[in-house]
Amino acid sequence: THSSMDIDIYQNLLKVDPLGQNDQAVHRAPEIKFTYAPEHFGHMLFSFDADYANFLGSGKTFYDPQDKTVFDDSTSYYKTGQRLTLHPSLSTSINLMDVFDIVPQIDFEENFYQFGYSSRPSTARRFLRTSINTKTRLSTVFGDPQPYANKYKHEVIPEVTYSVIPYFYQEN
């Protein structure tokens, strides 16, 4: 497993005076990540990732390009909030005639969002992604056939991946 915590403080450079007030920047403090590396469960590989991020900005909890003092759904957007992402994955590897490696995989991702520090309800996004990956190895050795002569191995590994999202849900 791997766990980490980051704090990212940003400077907004998209303004007239980039060294002036930094009240429009959005920071991530903290962002906490957890990864469970792929582990065998029978013939399957299971992995899991979780990520929590707290977004904050100085001044108002939202930004409005028209400088309104009250949040307006049509023009304002939140600068503060939290996001939690959960991402389990399951895959297996199939070797076909010692020529092709085929890896089917299924991923699920769930994202929870809470915007601002108000009574505004939270929202979510989730999706299921399936994919199949296949690759093979083509190689040859070039050089003098004499023993101890210089030889060079050339190898090409073409790989093809097909991915589809059969299920997607996102609240407004």
Side-chain angles (χ1 to χ4, degrees):
T1 63
H2 169 78
S3 299
S4 65
M5 183 176 85
D6 296 321
I7 295 176
D8 296 315
I9 306 298
Y10 296 98
Q11 178 72 32
N12 183 3
L13 300 177
L14 298 174
K15 55 187 179 176
V16 176
D17 180 9
L19 299 177
Q21 277 191 322
N22 197 30
D23 60 344
Q24 292 180 5
V26 177
H27 315 287
R28 286 186 304 198
E31 182 174 22
I32 302 168
K33 295 183 179 186
F34 173 80
T35 298
Y36 183 79
E39 184 169 327
H40 286 277
F41 286 100
H43 295 292
M44 306 293 278
L45 277 176
F46 172 78
S47 65
F48 178 79
D49 293 308
D51 179 72
Y52 167 79
N54 182 52
F55 299 96
L56 57 98
S58 60
K60 295 187 293 186
T61 60
F62 66 91
Y63 171 73
D64 191 286
Q66 299 171 356
D67 286 330
K68 294 179 183 175
T69 57
V70 178
F71 186 84
D72 179 358
D73 276 330
S74 63
T75 59
S76 304
Y77 61 88
Y78 279 106
K79 295 192 313 182
T80 58
Q82 296 87 35
R83 178 189 66 213
L84 176 64
T85 301
L86 305 173
H87 179 202
S89 177
L90 194 60
S91 65
T92 190
S93 181
I94 303 165
N95 188 294
L96 188 62
M97 301 181 295
D98 286 331
V99 176
F100 294 100
D101 287 324
I102 301 169
V103 180
Q105 182 170 327
I106 187 165
D107 298 282
F108 179 75
E109 187 165 307
E110 178 89 29
N111 297 278
F112 300 99
Y113 300 93
Q114 175 66 49
F115 298 107
Y117 295 107
S118 66
S119 60
R120 185 178 176 126
S122 61
T123 187
R125 177 180 65 181
R126 64 186 64 96
F127 63 88
L128 182 70
R129 178 179 41 234
T130 58
S131 63
I132 189 161
N133 174 297
T134 184
K135 64 183 175 181
T136 189
R137 182 181 308 258
L138 308 169
S139 65
T140 188
V141 176
F142 297 98
D144 192 338
Q146 299 298 320
Y148 306 110
N150 287 337
K151 295 182 169 87
Y152 303 95
K153 182 176 182 180
H154 181 71
E155 186 172 78
V156 175
I157 304 175
E159 183 173 331
V160 176
T161 301
Y162 176 75
S163 180
V164 65
I165 297 177
Y167 170 74
F168 180 83
Y169 172 80
Q170 180 171 316
E171 294 175 358
N172 186 6

